Structures are given as C-alpha cells and as structure tokens.
Amino acid sequence: MLTRRYLEQKLKMHHLRAVEAIILHRSLLKGAAALGITQPALTKTLQELEDILQQRLFDRLPRGVRPTEAGDLFAQFSRRLLAEIRRLDEELDRLSGPEGGTVAIGTLPVAATGVLPGALTRLKQQHPQLRVRLEQGRTEDLLPKLASGEIDLIVGRLYEPSIPDGFLREPLWEEPISVLARLDHPVFRLPEITMAALRPYDLVLPTVTQRVGQEIEVFLERLALAPTSSLRSSSYGFIREMLHGTDMLSIMPRLMMAGDLLRGTLKVVPLPEKAPPRPAGIILPPNRVLPAPAHAFLAALRAHVAEIGERGLTSITTSNSSAAESDRTRSRRRR
C-alpha cells in the first residue's frame, strides 16, 4: 500500500531550485556554486527531497550526475512551478503601475546582436517602466523554456524542426548570409564587383553557432572564395573593429550588423550569386495567451523590422492569420 507523500505540505522552494541547478549543471559541485551554497549543503537538500518523494532523483557518476526517470519528471514540474512563480512576481509588478511588468525574451545569438537592440531601444522609448528579461541560447535550448512559460517568445532564425513540435513560427524578415565591408572600402569604387575582385581581401568571420558556421562555409564554397588568411572570432566587438578599421571583409548573417548598416558605416557588397533564404522571426507557444508586455515588445520589433525593410537592408515577410499556424497543423495539411 502506497503512503501519501503530502508534497503540498513538505516541498519547499529550495528543493525546486536545487533540482533546477543540478539538472542545468549536471554536477553537485557546479550546482552548489550556482546557488551560492556549499556542496554538502546541496547534497543534504537533495537527500531530504529524495526522502520526501521516496524516489532517487539522480544517479551518481564518476564525473557529475545523471537524472533518473523520477528526476526528469520532477525537473519538468519544478521548472514549470518556478516559471509560474516568476510570472506571479512580474504580474504583481504590473499591477503596481500601468506601465509596469516584464517581458521574457529568448533570443538566438545573431538576433541578440542584430535586430534586438533596435527593437528594445524602441520599446524602452515607448514603455520606459517595462522591464526586459533576456535568455540567449540555441533554439533547442530555448524551446523547453518557452514550453514551461519561463520565456514569452523566441526571436531569431527560424530553423525547420525535424519533426512537428506544435510551436507557432511566424517569419518576419530574411537574414541572408552576405559580404559586408566598411562604407569607404575599395571594392565599392570598382566599376564591377566580381568574385575575383574580392579574393585579395582577408576575411574576419564570426563563430556564433555551429549552424551559422556551416551556412557561412557553404556560402564561401558557392562563391569560390578561398582567402589567403582569415580571422575567426566569437566577439561581435572585435569583428566590428576589424571591419571599420581595415580592408577586411566579413561573411555573416546580414542583420548581425543591423545597427551599423542602419547608421551607414557598413555596407552590403552586391554579389552576382544570390544567398539562400534564411527566414527569421518569432516562435510562440501554441496554447498560451501572451501578456501585455510581450505584445508591447512585438509591436516594437515589428516596427523596427519594418524600418530595416524600408531602408532596403532585408526582405520583410508579410504576416497574416495563417502565417503563425503551428507546425502540427502544417504537417496535417501535407498528408
């Protein structure tokens, strides 16, 4: 006969935070450091929680820990509970003032340095009291947080899911891989820009994510560009300085340098070879109403993207009622 666990009486917030930290870092030592406590204290909390649940939550490995089936299950529930508590905190802020509240945004790295700064600048001008919480990462890391309610939406490149996942994907703009150079670069004085004219110049290339890196390499092969030397960096600031201060060229998602393109200090090098399409936009949860702060952010994002399009820096995708349908719906239609 099973005995009642009385979880509603025994579970405490520090139990939830402990499992979240251990799951995230896959280590008691690193999890304890993230929580600002000692490893023995975290071990004691975990033992206490396992006694309450009457389940082992983690298997100890030679290096780190691995969640059991019960550990994964508890982590899913604790993630949702912590997200709801954060949401409650943010909603109470909203009630304290008409312009209050928080929007939680997940962003891919290219969008974080590209369209997001301009959109957030516009948002803060229109809603100065609204707070923004950013989570940067890969799509596969951000989707579980979107599902649990930790974030309101995801902004960035829209990669096609390997299987329908039910999330709503709405394309808003294109961010093609492009060649960028400073405004007064010698290539812009040529009567005709050819691939041969670009080959003498060294490249400074971003190392943002493996996916973006692969797309850049494929585009380099299509252009038959094999520079004598090139630099690679994950630093947005370093790449900007090299582009502005030297004759180096860069190949990257065009709107990664949206601010400099809008200011006119960098320019897209026109090429005879058209880049493959790279749709970008937003990912939304399918069955959750967006809070007012998220709607305010979306309005600012759409306005900023529209300005970029009007300047001729990217193609804008026109949204309609069917644009944001779920992948599951589209999958049914293809059958």
Side-chain angles (χ1 to χ4, degrees), residues 179 194-205 216-232 249 251:
V179 179
T194 63
M195 293 300 103
L198 299 181
R199 291 191 183 106
Y201 297 102
D202 292 332
L203 301 178
V204 54
L205 302 175
I216 290 173
E217 292 299 328
V218 169
F219 195 56
L220 278 170
E221 291 179 10
R222 289 183 59 176
L223 299 179
L225 280 178
T228 54
S229 64
S230 63
L231 295 174
R232 296 175 186 271
L249 304 172
I251 296 179

Side-chain angles (χ1 to χ4, degrees), residues 22 26 28 39 42-48 50 55-68:
I22 297 170
R26 289 294 196 269
L28 288 171
Q39 182 178 344
L42 181 58
T43 300
K44 181 180 179 181
T45 297
L46 178 58
Q47 291 171 344
E48 179 183 86
E50 289 179 330
Q55 293 277 351
R56 190 177 75 259
L57 299 181
F58 294 93
D59 291 324
R60 278 62 169 178
L61 304 176
R63 290 187 177 182
V65 295
R66 179 179 58 208
T68 64

Side-chain angles (χ1 to χ4, degrees), residues 19-287:
V19 171
E20 184 181 44
I22 297 170
I23 286 283
L24 179 62
H25 297 283
R26 289 294 196 269
S27 163
L28 288 171
L29 180 61
K30 293 179 181 178
L35 292 171
I37 62 176
T38 64
Q39 182 178 344
L42 181 58
T43 300
K44 181 180 179 181
T45 297
L46 178 58
Q47 291 171 344
E48 179 183 86
L49 177 59
E50 289 179 330
D51 288 342
I52 293 170
L53 299 177
Q54 302 168 29
Q55 293 277 351
R56 190 177 75 259
L57 299 181
F58 294 93
D59 291 324
R60 278 62 169 178
L61 304 176
R63 290 187 177 182
V65 295
R66 179 179 58 208
T68 64
E69 184 177 0
D72 277 328
L73 179 63
F74 185 85
Q76 293 173 21
F77 275 85
S78 65
R79 190 177 294 120
R80 286 200 292 268
L81 288 170
L82 288 170
E84 288 298 320
I85 291 170
R86 279 191 286 266
R87 281 286 175 231
L88 173 61
D89 193 13
E90 293 164 0
E91 286 298 304
L92 291 173
D93 285 342
R94 181 184 61 80
L95 291 177
S96 65
E99 284 294 310
T102 301
V103 55
I105 304 167
T107 176
L108 275 64
V110 171
T113 59
V115 301
L116 203 57
L120 292 179
T121 299
R122 189 182 296 262
L123 177 68
K124 296 303 285 185
Q125 290 171 346
Q126 297 170 347
H127 304 277
Q129 301 304 316
L130 196 150
R131 290 188 289 186
V132 177
R133 178 160 53 85
L134 292 177
E135 292 271 356
Q136 182 174 318
R138 302 174 302 170
T139 303
E140 52 266 38
D141 297 326
L142 293 174
L143 286 177
K145 296 186 177 184
L146 181 61
S148 68
E150 293 178 71
I151 55 179
D152 294 315
L153 72 163
I154 299 172
V155 179
R157 171 82 159 92
L158 298 180
Y159 294 101
E160 191 69 26
S162 56
I163 58 173
D165 55 20
F167 292 101
L168 312 180
R169 288 169 169 82
E170 183 179 349
L172 297 179
W173 71 92
E174 289 280 342
E175 50 179 32
I177 302 292
S178 302
V179 179
L180 301 185
R182 71 173 194 270
L183 182 63
D184 58 348
H185 195 284
V187 298
F188 296 120
R189 296 195 292 269
L190 298 174
E192 181 183 4
I193 298 177
T194 63
M195 293 300 103
L198 299 181
R199 291 191 183 106
Y201 297 102
D202 292 332
L203 301 178
V204 54
L205 302 175
T207 54
V208 186
T209 64
Q210 185 177 5
R211 276 176 167 173
V212 175
Q214 290 172 345
E215 290 178 291
I216 290 173
E217 292 299 328
V218 169
F219 195 56
L220 278 170
E221 291 179 10
R222 289 183 59 176
L223 299 179
L225 280 178
T228 54
S229 64
S230 63
L231 295 174
R232 296 175 186 271
S233 176
S234 60
S235 169
Y236 169 80
F238 175 79
I239 295 172
R240 286 187 73 245
E241 288 298 317
M242 297 306 294
L243 283 176
H244 285 96
T246 72
D247 285 344
M248 298 186 84
L249 304 172
S250 188
I251 296 179
M252 64 174 67
R254 180 182 302 180
L255 294 189
M256 187 173 173
M257 295 288 178
D260 292 295
L261 291 171
L262 286 171
R263 285 185 287 268
T265 58
L266 295 180
K267 190 175 176 181
V268 177
V269 178
L271 300 174
E273 180 77 16
K274 187 176 181 181
R278 298 183 77 253
I282 56 175
I283 305 177
L284 303 171
N287 301 311

